[in-house]
Amino acid sequence: MSIDKTSATPQDEHAVENPEAAAAAVTAVDPRLLVREQGLTGYIGEFKRKMKTGELGSLPVIIGLIAICVIFQSLNSNFLSAQNLSDITVTMVGTGMISVGIVFVLLLGEIDLSVGSVSGAASALAAVLAVNQGWPEWAAVLVAIAAGAAIGAAHGFFFAVLGAPAFAVTLAGLLFWLGFMLKVLGENGTINLDSDGLIGKLTTYFFSDVAVAYGLAVVVVAVFFISSFLGNKRREAAGVPSRPLSDTILRTVLLAVVSFAAAAMYNQYKGLPLATVIFLVFLIGTDFLLRRTSYGRKIFALGGSVEASRRAGINVTAVRISVFAISGGFAAIGGLFLASKIASANQSAGTGDLLMNAIAAAVIGGTSLFGGRGRTWNALLGVLVIVSIQYGLQLESIAEPVKYMITAAVLLTTVVIDSITRKTQKTAGRA
């Protein structure tokens, strides 16, 4: 017996003497266990914990969207009409695409100031090839997108390899590609596009059959439920915390309500817009890339700590260059949608408040300016806020200067919330 006592370690004795404390410690490791084990009480506790630790997620912007809808609908009953909402979701796609690329750059804690000029240069290049040179539009579109990605990769090279600050490199790119666009467009300065062509139909084509909108809603809801259910099963099999079935069902029901409401709204006007479908496909694809692949995890790791990522064996240079290439590619795609909206490529493309709105959309949607936190869905939420404000003020015939001031106030509020959130997380030991 004496041998057994002397062979016991201090940790073993502590575990025997304090089994309740040990069990409590295990439970405290992952608060998600509360959700699974305590039902509604667990959800409430998890919500309080997130609020205390600054994990606000997309809650502020969702509340803001609801407030925007309530305010403008009370001022003008046409704000929530099917036509106005459909116009908003089509108009937002061009800026939204550019903002998706900005999200990737912001996740690194960097900035890309060239995306507006790159979008204009890409639309001008596509217009010249398709209209002046007689190329097939699909080939012109591919070349324009490839050119955007190549431009972004070049910016990434100067930043990642030569060590130039991203701010300075992309500011130079803003000026250079603006000049390139003006040179390509020539003295006339405007190239009209075929409204019935590939580029023209990006924002003018609607699936008029009501079955298309409802069918897409069914597919989205079904895919979400199946992927969530199978994901939870894999987590359970691996012995790690997973969402309860009731939580998955609740989320699926909420998604179904939103999806079918959107389908009904679209069918009251012209039908499901092609632009919205393409945007959703890109959002789903990029979200999967960031959250479900090793490449996405490398981007988040770089946003958290470059040195730690380098020591972990991540090719920092390659990831940085690829991220700026993605930003340039999405800028080109956004430029094509913007050109489609006005059926032309002209000297004003990529200028004005486009750059500001693209960056603001990513930040307003919830992507951190400090790197390491964000999702491509943030671009959707942010651009919805911006375009909704613009359309609401337009319905009220508010002057353009006021639109700038209101958008600036929304952006400043979002940045302040982001800063406070980071401080709260640091205080709670989660940053």
Side-chain angles (χ1 to χ4, degrees):
M1 293 295 292
S2 59
I3 296 177
D4 293 338
K5 289 180 180 180
T6 56
S7 63
T9 65
Q11 291 83 354
D12 292 332
E13 294 175 0
H14 180 75
V16 173
E17 293 175 2
N18 301 282
E20 295 83 1
V26 172
T27 304
V29 170
D30 194 334
R32 289 175 296 180
L33 291 172
L34 296 174
V35 177
R36 185 173 65 178
E37 296 175 357
Q38 298 182 12
L40 181 60
T41 303
Y43 284 109
I44 296 174
E46 177 76 351
F47 178 78
K48 290 180 179 179
R49 182 190 68 81
K50 287 184 176 182
M51 293 300 100
K52 290 180 180 179
T53 57
E55 298 178 57
L56 301 178
S58 300
L59 182 61
V61 69
I62 292 174
I63 294 175
L65 270 175
I66 294 173
I68 289 170
C69 292
V70 170
I71 292 171
F72 284 121
Q73 179 65 15
S74 65
L75 296 174
N76 193 315
S77 59
N78 290 324
F79 181 77
L80 292 180
S81 66
Q83 179 178 351
N84 193 58
L85 292 177
S86 180
D87 289 343
I88 287 174
T89 58
V90 172
T91 301
M92 73 178 187
V93 173
T95 305
M97 285 290 192
I98 300 174
S99 186
V100 169
I102 288 291
V103 169
F104 278 81
V105 178
L106 289 179
L107 286 174
L108 294 182
E110 301 296 339
I111 193 67
D112 188 348
L113 300 178
S114 69
V115 289
S117 296
V118 172
S119 70
S123 64
L125 179 60
V128 167
L129 293 177
V131 178
N132 294 357
Q133 302 298 323
W135 283 35
E137 279 199 66
W138 63 267
V141 166
L142 291 179
V143 170
I145 296 174
I151 291 170
H155 295 163
F157 174 82
F158 284 105
F159 164 58
V161 178
L162 301 183
F167 179 91
V169 171
T170 56
L171 179 59
L174 181 155
L175 298 173
F176 183 89
W177 299 113
L178 176 60
F180 175 84
M181 178 189 71
L182 298 177
K183 181 68 175 179
V184 167
L185 290 174
E187 295 181 359
N188 187 32
T190 301
I191 300 177
N192 294 321
L193 298 168
D194 182 6
S195 58
D196 293 326
L198 175 62
I199 298 176
K201 287 185 177 180
L202 287 175
T203 56
T204 60
Y205 186 82
F206 292 78
F207 297 97
S208 57
D209 190 341
V210 297
V212 176
Y214 288 121
L216 180 61
V218 170
V219 170
V220 169
V221 173
V223 170
F224 175 81
F225 176 78
I226 293 173
S227 61
S228 298
F229 180 79
L230 295 179
N232 288 334
K233 287 296 183 183
R234 287 194 296 269
R235 294 178 68 84
E236 289 177 2
V240 295
S242 62
R243 298 186 184 278
L245 180 60
S246 58
D247 181 53
T248 300
I249 293 175
L250 176 61
R251 289 170 176 263
T252 303
V253 170
L254 292 175
L255 177 62
V257 170
V258 174
S259 300
F260 282 96
M265 178 272 294
Y266 285 129
N267 286 332
Q268 288 179 19
Y269 184 48
K270 293 182 179 180
L272 181 65
L274 173 63
T276 304
V277 175
I278 296 175
F279 191 31
L280 289 176
V281 169
F282 274 106
L283 285 173
I284 293 172
T286 52
D287 182 68
F288 179 87
L289 178 67
L290 284 175
R291 297 176 61 238
R292 302 293 184 182
T293 67
S294 60
Y295 174 73
R297 289 189 285 272
K298 290 175 183 178
I299 294 176
F300 281 106
L302 259 64
S305 173
V306 175
E307 185 58 32
S309 300
R310 183 178 286 111
R311 293 184 178 184
I314 295 176
N315 189 332
V316 174
T317 300
V319 173
R320 282 176 164 175
I321 292 176
S322 66
V323 164
F324 276 89
I326 290 173
S327 179
F330 272 99
I333 295 172
L336 294 173
F337 276 92
L338 293 171
S340 173
K341 188 66 178 175
I342 60 175
S344 68
N346 57 40
Q347 293 179 341
S348 64
T351 60
D353 60 356
L354 177 61
L355 172 62
M356 178 199 72
N357 285 340
I359 297 175
V363 177
I364 290 172
T367 302
S368 176
L369 281 169
F370 304 98
R373 190 177 77 247
R375 296 179 62 179
T376 51
W377 289 102
N378 297 149
L380 170 62
L381 293 174
V383 78
L384 265 177
V385 169
I386 292 175
V387 177
S388 296
I389 291 174
Q390 292 174 345
Y391 268 71
L393 296 176
Q394 184 176 327
L395 286 175
E396 294 302 306
S397 300
I398 302 297
E400 194 71 20
V402 178
K403 296 180 182 179
Y404 283 113
M405 289 187 286
I406 292 177
T407 303
V410 173
L411 176 59
L412 178 60
T413 301
T414 305
V415 173
V416 170
I417 292 175
D418 183 31
S419 299
I420 294 174
T421 297
R422 285 180 60 86
K423 290 180 180 178
T424 305
Q425 289 179 337
K426 286 181 179 180
T427 303
R430 297 185 63 82

